[in-house]
Amino acid sequence: MTEPSGASSDKPRRPVVVPAVALVAFTAVGITALLGGLSEAPDEPEPLGQGAVLDQGLYSTKFVESRVTVERAKTQFEEDKRFVELVFDVTNQGDKTFPVGLPAQKVEQAFALDGFAASLLNINPAFDKAAGPFAFAQAKGNESRQLQPGVTSQVIVRYRLKDDEQPPDRITMDVASFEEERQFGSNDLAWKMVAKEMGDKWIPEIKARVTLTVKKGDAA
């Protein structure tokens, strides 16, 4: 039987040209699939700055400013004290009183706390342990360690500077949020910091990353 014209197996095949862009795209898709897909890529925290307002669930927080302040000596035997302060307007959105609290020394310790300042994670640059922090609220001219429900208070978190220590130009902090969860074995709801279980620890999720420029004025 005569072989059809043009069908000879001896004829060299014409190479197929694949555009470089297609190869790059294919490789990228393959790597993405290998790493678990686009949907599983971690989201970057929301970047915020001075004046921003963040709904933390339990608290509504305005990031007012960061500043250097001086506490003047009361006697000739004392010395002036300088502080870097973080200033917030915080509204307790719960139905009971919560503490102002303090930032936790370790991130994994914050999960068990419900005070406002415990939600301030990874404060950078880090201050020496001897610097504090100290935290209190001011409402209607009074200083307090508590946040009353439905009331907006100015919360100040401060770190003391050493005599020869220069304040940072800016401070960045990761901020967590809270959600209501049912108590184990009960129908009662309680506010808990939003966190993920990692091994034998619960690590708070970062809802926002806030950067504040430190106002130095004449106090630096």
Side-chain angles (χ1 to χ4, degrees):
M1 184 174 182
T2 306
E3 187 179 23
S5 175
S8 173
S9 60
D10 296 332
K11 185 176 181 180
R13 295 178 180 270
R14 187 174 182 179
V16 178
V17 178
V18 179
V21 174
L23 286 174
V24 172
F26 179 80
T27 303
V29 171
I31 293 175
T32 301
L34 182 64
L35 295 177
L38 289 171
S39 61
E40 296 183 10
D43 294 330
E44 283 294 315
E46 181 181 2
L48 298 176
Q50 182 176 331
V53 177
L54 179 65
D55 185 356
Q56 295 182 261
L58 177 54
Y59 306 105
S60 175
T61 302
K62 179 178 180 179
F63 301 93
V64 178
E65 64 178 351
S66 178
R67 66 196 182 198
V68 176
T69 60
V70 177
E71 189 176 285
R72 299 298 179 186
K74 297 179 181 179
T75 70
Q76 60 179 338
F77 304 105
E78 297 179 346
E79 296 180 349
D80 292 346
K81 299 177 183 178
R82 295 181 306 140
F83 298 91
V84 172
E85 295 185 338
L86 302 171
V87 185
F88 314 87
D89 286 342
V90 180
T91 304
N92 176 356
Q93 300 186 124
D95 56 5
K96 68 176 185 178
T97 300
F98 286 92
V100 172
L102 289 171
Q105 292 184 355
K106 297 181 179 180
V107 172
E108 58 267 26
Q109 296 173 342
F111 167 70
L113 306 174
D114 54 17
F116 162 73
S119 69
L120 307 178
L121 314 171
N122 302 320
I123 297 176
N124 290 304
F127 290 88
D128 188 271
K129 288 184 178 180
F134 312 93
F136 56 91
Q138 291 179 325
K140 298 180 180 179
N142 298 317
E143 187 174 307
S144 173
R145 297 296 189 277
Q146 296 182 326
L147 298 170
Q148 303 297 328
V151 176
T152 299
S153 304
Q154 185 166 93
V155 173
I156 296 176
V157 177
R158 55 165 44 172
Y159 295 86
R160 184 176 177 181
L161 295 170
K162 298 176 183 177
D163 292 341
D164 58 349
E165 184 179 3
Q166 292 300 312
D169 293 328
R170 62 185 58 84
I171 292 178
T172 298
M173 68 198 97
D174 293 337
V175 184
S177 61
F178 301 82
E179 62 183 0
E180 284 189 300
E181 294 183 354
R182 295 201 178 277
Q183 299 277 58
F184 181 75
S186 170
N187 288 325
D188 295 336
L189 293 173
W191 287 99
K192 296 290 184 181
M193 194 174 292
V194 179
K196 287 184 178 180
E197 187 175 7
M198 296 184 179
D200 60 348
K201 300 177 182 179
W202 286 87
I203 306 300
E205 294 185 14
I206 300 171
K207 185 174 180 66
R209 180 163 292 151
V210 184
T211 300
L212 299 176
T213 300
V214 180
K215 297 180 179 179
K216 301 174 183 178
D218 298 329

